[in-house]
Amino acid sequence: MVKDITGLLRDNGFKVTPQRLAVYKVLYESKEHPTAEMLFNELQPVYPTMSLATVYKTIEILAQLNLIKVLNTGEDSFRYDADTREHAHIKCIKCKDMGDVMDLEMGGLVQAVENKTGYDITAQQLYFYGVCPICRKNKMN
């Protein structure tokens, strides 16, 4: 993972820094779809001199290199996902937890949208919203 990103950064004219590698590593290993602020807070103990601006700049570079997806779920901040395979996302409207919905057959949906609109769909992001099992359970207790 780090070897791949190192070469990709260099090949595209970006400096390879420990902070950039750390931001990507946290994103790569996370299933939480963190915001920039969440990334900053997680990395701050290890990189106390790293600024929030560095996190944002790194995110911008990673997105430009298609190493991460930028997710807009209607919050004040974007969330980020290093799993760039096509998949949907689900978000709890109570606790704001966010997860992946893998292995949905979206080809039929894309085809239907193309047929209805005349567009040639090149990308899509699909979000589901609801109340997660933990919040539902807590409401019952």
Side-chain angles (χ1 to χ4, degrees), residues 40-88:
F40 175 75
N41 290 335
E42 183 167 338
L43 291 167
Q44 192 61 29
V46 181
Y47 297 95
T49 60
M50 183 170 54
S51 69
L52 185 56
T54 298
V55 174
Y56 275 110
K57 181 64 179 169
T58 300
I59 288 167
E60 182 182 311
I61 291 167
L62 296 173
Q64 181 181 334
L65 296 176
N66 296 315
L67 290 169
I68 64 170
K69 285 185 176 183
V70 179
L71 309 175
N72 182 354
T73 62
E75 295 176 295
D76 291 339
S77 301
F78 292 112
R79 290 181 175 244
Y80 306 98
D81 189 355
D83 187 344
T84 58
R85 296 174 293 171
E86 278 197 9
H87 63 280

Side-chain angles (χ1 to χ4, degrees), residues 7 44 71 78 89 105 109 126 134 141:
Q44 192 61 29
L71 309 175
F78 292 112
H89 292 92
E105 177 48 53
L109 178 60
L126 184 59
I134 293 169
N141 292 335

Side-chain angles (χ1 to χ4, degrees), residues 5-137:
I5 187 175
T6 299
L8 198 54
L9 286 167
R10 281 194 185 115
D11 291 348
N12 285 278
F14 297 108
K15 290 181 184 175
V16 176
T17 66
Q19 293 86 349
R20 286 182 178 162
L21 296 176
V23 168
Y24 182 71
K25 184 176 189 287
V26 170
L27 281 168
Y28 186 82
E29 293 175 352
S30 174
K31 297 296 176 205
E32 295 180 349
H33 306 87
T35 64
E37 293 80 10
M38 292 164 72
L39 289 166
F40 175 75
N41 290 335
E42 183 167 338
L43 291 167
Q44 192 61 29
V46 181
Y47 297 95
T49 60
M50 183 170 54
S51 69
L52 185 56
T54 298
V55 174
Y56 275 110
K57 181 64 179 169
T58 300
I59 288 167
E60 182 182 311
I61 291 167
L62 296 173
Q64 181 181 334
L65 296 176
N66 296 315
L67 290 169
I68 64 170
K69 285 185 176 183
V70 179
L71 309 175
N72 182 354
T73 62
E75 295 176 295
D76 291 339
S77 301
F78 292 112
R79 290 181 175 244
Y80 306 98
D81 189 355
D83 187 344
T84 58
R85 296 174 293 171
E86 278 197 9
H87 63 280
H89 292 92
I90 191 159
K91 181 179 169 189
C92 180
I93 60 173
K94 299 286 186 188
C95 69
K96 310 299 186 222
D97 186 41
M98 193 166 170
D100 295 318
V101 182
M102 305 303 286
D103 301 324
L104 282 182
E105 177 48 53
M106 294 201 289
L109 178 60
V110 170
Q111 184 66 48
V113 171
E114 286 180 338
N115 291 344
K116 188 158 188 82
T117 64
Y119 277 66
D120 181 15
I121 304 296
T122 58
Q124 75 278 337
Q125 289 189 2
L126 184 59
Y127 301 104
F128 295 94
Y129 300 88
V131 180
C132 73
I134 293 169
C135 289
R136 282 198 341 262
K137 181 180 178 189

